[in-house]
Amino acid sequence: MESTRQQKISRLIQKELGDIFLLQTKQMQGVLISVSAVRVSPDLGLAKTYLSIFPSEKGKELLENIKANVKAIRFDLGQRVGKQLRVIPELAFYIDDSLDYLENIDKLLQSGNKPKDKED
C-alpha cells in the first residue's frame, strides 16, 4: 500500500512528465504521449512511469528514444520539481497497453453480438 507521501510524489511526477512530453511531442505531428500512471518506490528512489503512446504502432520506437534520453528527461524533471523534492527519483519507463487491450476486448464483444439474419 502506498503512503500518502508516495501518492503525492506520484501525482506531481505524473503531471510534470506529462507537461514535458507534451512540449516534446509538439514538434512531431500526429504523435501523442501521455503519462497514465506513476508508481514511486517506498524509498522514493525509483519512479516507474507508464506511458500511453498514440499511435500505438510507434510505441516501441518512441519508448526506445525515451529510454535513450532518460538522463535529459530526469534533468528537466529536476528543474521543475527541484524545490519540492530533495532527491529526484530514477525514472523507469514502460508502455501502458491497457487501452489497446480494452480496444481489442471491445472489438471482440462487438463482433460476437452481431444479430444473425433469420430466414423463415
Side-chain angles (χ1 to χ4, degrees):
M1 185 169 136
E2 285 189 336
S3 69
T4 305
R5 177 96 173 126
Q6 284 175 280
Q7 291 173 356
K8 286 181 180 180
I9 291 174
S10 294
R11 286 192 301 266
L12 175 68
I13 291 173
Q14 182 177 1
K15 178 190 174 301
E16 295 299 336
L17 283 177
D19 290 345
I20 290 170
F21 287 128
L22 181 65
L23 291 173
Q24 294 295 324
T25 56
K26 277 187 179 178
Q27 293 123 7
M28 297 184 282
Q29 293 294 323
V31 175
L32 180 65
I33 299 175
S34 62
V35 181
S36 56
V38 175
R39 303 277 183 257
V40 179
S41 64
D43 67 350
L44 308 177
L46 176 67
K48 292 182 179 180
T49 307
Y50 296 90
L51 303 174
S52 180
I53 300 174
F54 178 82
S56 57
E57 298 83 44
K58 295 184 178 183
K60 291 243 188 251
E61 176 188 343
L62 288 172
L63 185 65
E64 292 303 318
N65 288 340
I66 289 169
K67 286 182 177 180
N69 295 314
V70 71
K71 288 183 181 180
I73 295 169
R74 186 171 178 232
F75 178 79
D76 288 345
L77 180 64
Q79 295 293 311
R80 291 169 173 255
V81 299
K83 302 288 185 196
Q84 296 151 334
L85 297 177
R86 191 176 308 149
V87 176
I88 307 303
E90 293 290 327
L91 299 173
F93 292 101
Y94 303 96
I95 290 183
D96 180 17
D97 57 356
S98 60
L99 291 177
D100 294 335
Y101 182 72
L102 289 173
E103 187 177 312
N104 188 26
I105 289 175
D106 194 38
K107 284 181 186 175
L108 291 173
L109 288 174
Q110 287 177 357
S111 66
N113 289 336
K114 285 186 179 176
K116 296 179 182 175
D117 291 335
K118 292 182 181 179
E119 291 184 21
D120 291 325

